[in-house]
Amino acid sequence: ICGKWFLITDARQTKTAQDLEGIAVSAGSACAAGARERSHVIRAMHVPEGADVRFSLGNENDETQIRQAVDALCRVMNG
């Protein structure tokens, strides 16, 4: 799995917008999934509170899916 971080201001709004685009995203780090506290990794990276969105890719994702996710992210980020 490959994770990519983007500096955003509102993870909830971005997650909702991505969901409406048909793209599944998560917040926080995978190592802290389900935890109540922020991940020590996120804190060490100095990611602002509420600004962390995670896109996870695996070997089953193809180039078309990745392009669709990037296009959706661009639409969301550009409003």
Side-chain angles (χ1 to χ4, degrees):
I1 292 178
C2 172
K4 180 68 179 166
W5 297 96
F6 300 91
L7 183 59
I8 60 169
T9 56
D10 187 342
R12 286 185 183 171
Q13 181 180 12
T14 302
K15 284 175 53 180
T16 300
Q18 287 295 103
D19 182 55
L20 292 172
E21 290 277 348
I23 307 298
V25 300
S26 301
S29 68
C31 64
R36 300 184 118 215
E37 295 289 321
R38 290 182 78 204
S39 159
H40 67 282
V41 174
I42 300 298
R43 287 193 311 268
M45 292 172 58
H46 304 286
V47 176
E49 184 77 33
D52 44 327
V53 173
R54 183 179 75 247
F55 291 77
S56 297
L57 305 173
N59 60 358
E60 295 180 5
N61 294 107
D62 61 26
E63 185 177 344
T64 300
Q65 292 170 321
I66 294 168
R67 288 184 186 275
Q68 289 170 339
V70 169
D71 290 346
L73 178 63
C74 289
R75 284 191 297 276
V76 167
M77 298 296 279
N78 291 324

